[in-house]
Amino acid sequence: MALRFIFKIFDFYKEGFKNLTLGKTLWKIIFIKLFVILIILKLFIFDVNFKSLYKDDVSKTNFVIQNLISKEN
């Protein structure tokens, strides 16, 4: 029953977008922008993470301990 409801929702949106001309172009632009923001920027700008900075568990632990007990926060 829930699967049937999901298919009805999908068909509703499919029929609604079928007759659009400007809407399809706008949706393509939205998806391209999302792709650029989420994928390309993630790969090249936000590449630094905790695993890449500290390779072993000891250095990760030391980093966390030093930041927890520092008085600058």
Side-chain angles (χ1 to χ4, degrees), residues 54-67:
Y54 304 103
K55 300 295 183 199
D56 58 343
D57 290 336
V58 175
S59 59
K60 289 178 190 177
T61 306
N62 289 334
F63 173 77
V64 171
I65 289 172
Q66 289 299 321
N67 284 311

Side-chain angles (χ1 to χ4, degrees), residues 17-49:
F17 286 117
K18 188 186 292 186
N19 297 325
L20 293 178
T21 55
L22 180 63
K24 288 181 184 180
T25 306
L26 292 175
W27 276 109
K28 288 177 187 176
I29 292 171
I30 290 170
F31 285 126
I32 290 170
K33 287 173 94 173
L34 281 175
F35 176 78
V36 168
I37 290 170
L38 296 176
I39 304 299
I40 304 299
L41 291 178
K42 172 84 169 119
L43 290 175
F44 294 111
I45 295 176
F46 304 116
D47 189 35
V48 178
N49 59 24

Side-chain angles (χ1 to χ4, degrees), residues 7-18 20 27:
F7 281 127
K8 282 185 178 183
I9 292 173
F10 177 75
D11 285 336
F12 173 76
Y13 281 104
K14 186 177 82 171
E15 291 297 320
F17 286 117
K18 188 186 292 186
L20 293 178
W27 276 109

